[in-house]
Amino acid sequence: MNKFYKRFLILIVLVLVISGTVIYTTVDINTLKNLTQFKTWSIALAIFAVSLGLFFDGSRLMHLVKISDEKITLYQAVQVIFGNYFLALLTPGATGGAVAQLMFLRHAGVPTGKAAVLVIVRTLLSILFLVLCMPFIFMHDAGIVPGISNDTLMAITLTAFVVIIAIVVGARRGYLDYLVVRIARHTKKERRCKIIAFYRDTKSAIALLAASPKAMLLVFAESGLNLLCIYAIVPCLLLGLGVTDADWYSVMGRMIFLNMLLYFTPTPGGSGIAEGGFVLLFSDTVPAGTVGIIAVCWRLIAEYIPFLIGLYYTLTVFGRDFLNRQLR
């Protein structure tokens, strides 16, 4: 059995075990009663929400490519997006998602250097949007994380924001060049080249952001709409369970907070941490006995279905040999 099939089998087993465990440990005597009241139209609404989010994701990608003086078709943008979902879920920390985007963009005719810059810009804009949302979440939702005060979380967020701005300014003006070179010199040759290349691409990404501020503002707005539409899956499912009096501001805020954490998790696609975090954050909001089921449904619609579509596109465009090379 080659490495791709081993990784794929491990992922399926991992997802089934995690999903089964989450559901088993959260069901109770109220589960069946609440599920019998579930409205199936909410699933269609959730699928519509994620489809709208994917549309904004494709739109921002096409705008970014246009800003870089390149051009791709809508179909090629779709391949990039779903390819990202596929390899991100197969690799720790979702690192494979960047590789998938790079490969699909190159296949679409975008030069490697520009493709790397576009991938970095997409990630930076998404993280920046989430970071900017954090203060509004902490000011509204007290005690979002048990045992950690919102003041502490606010301080961490503001520190992270200042650090991000300092890195951007430092890279833009060349203040970090000497530091990066010094760090690279104390690493092995192969890693040294990767560090220098990543820093170079990051500087190019920052330059691209600064070169077209109005166009980037549109891309930033599309990044926010992309994320908000995908996070809206959970409110759609809650409406299906008859939850109409929830604090929707807090619901969306907690989804933003959870997904921000998933950017930095070491597990493939955040598996395990996503479901566990969802149960922790939404146990008091979701009807009794259904929080685990809603967590699994959220992951299914937001991650696993796009993953399967991405698998199809990856195999169609690159074949199995590509997967075996990337998963070594």
Side-chain angles (χ1 to χ4, degrees), residues 65 68 70-72 102 105-112 114-115 118:
V65 172
S68 68
E70 300 293 334
K71 186 176 181 180
I72 63 174
L102 181 62
L105 283 170
R106 286 179 56 188
H107 185 265
V110 180
T112 302
K114 286 186 178 180
L118 294 177

Side-chain angles (χ1 to χ4, degrees), residues 260-286:
M260 181 68 181
L261 294 180
L262 295 182
Y263 271 95
F264 308 100
T265 55
T267 58
S271 298
I273 296 175
E275 292 83 354
F278 186 93
V279 172
L280 177 66
L281 293 175
F282 291 98
S283 292
D284 296 332
T285 305
V286 179

